[in-house]
Amino acid sequence: MVDIRYYVDVSGVAPFAEWFAELEQMASAKITRAIARMEQGNFSNAKGVGEGVLEYKIDFGPGYRVYFGRDGDTIVILLTGGTKKRQQRDIDAAKAYWRDYKLSKRGRR
């Protein structure tokens, strides 16, 4: 079983949670199902996008993406989400969040 957690920035904002809260009902259901698959250890729709960040593709609507990092074998940190249209901007943001997460673990934030 994989423990799913949100990245939270220094001001207390969880970018993934904010993005998810704005989704329409069908999209949020599809993404919830994808996260449940990750909890079960199924990362078949995920690929690395650089700097330790992974992208989980959801083939629905505009092509939703969930960006996350793995902290060891059993922890997943949800960084942000997006669509194919904003893919590079979302990847860049996810990489910045992942760098910040790793710094905060070391007490250097």
Side-chain angles (χ1 to χ4, degrees):
M1 201 71 163
V2 175
D3 185 19
I4 305 288
R5 301 179 187 175
Y6 293 114
Y7 160 76
V8 178
D9 71 16
V10 69
S11 63
V13 173
F16 181 87
E18 286 192 342
W19 171 77
F20 186 80
E22 297 295 319
L23 295 173
E24 55 112 53
Q25 187 176 7
M26 185 61 88
S28 63
K30 296 280 187 182
I31 291 162
T32 298
R33 188 174 315 144
I35 292 169
R37 286 186 183 125
M38 288 194 282
E39 283 181 310
Q40 298 297 319
N42 181 347
F43 295 93
S44 61
N45 284 354
K47 69 171 187 162
V49 293
E51 299 182 35
V53 173
L54 295 106
E55 174 188 75
Y56 192 107
K57 290 185 190 179
I58 297 144
D59 294 323
F60 174 77
Y64 290 101
R65 269 75 168 135
V66 171
Y67 297 96
F68 65 97
R70 304 236 12 211
D71 190 351
D73 292 334
T74 60
I75 299 174
V76 164
I77 308 299
L78 298 176
L79 302 167
T80 192
T83 63
K84 176 72 174 159
K85 183 178 179 181
R86 300 173 19 131
Q87 188 174 17
Q88 192 56 55
R89 184 170 45 176
D90 294 331
I91 289 170
D92 293 342
K95 287 177 179 179
Y97 297 150
W98 187 239
R99 284 190 300 269
D100 184 59
Y101 171 79
K102 292 189 298 184
L103 287 172
S104 70
K105 277 192 67 172
R106 295 184 192 122
R108 295 185 191 155
R109 187 197 269 171

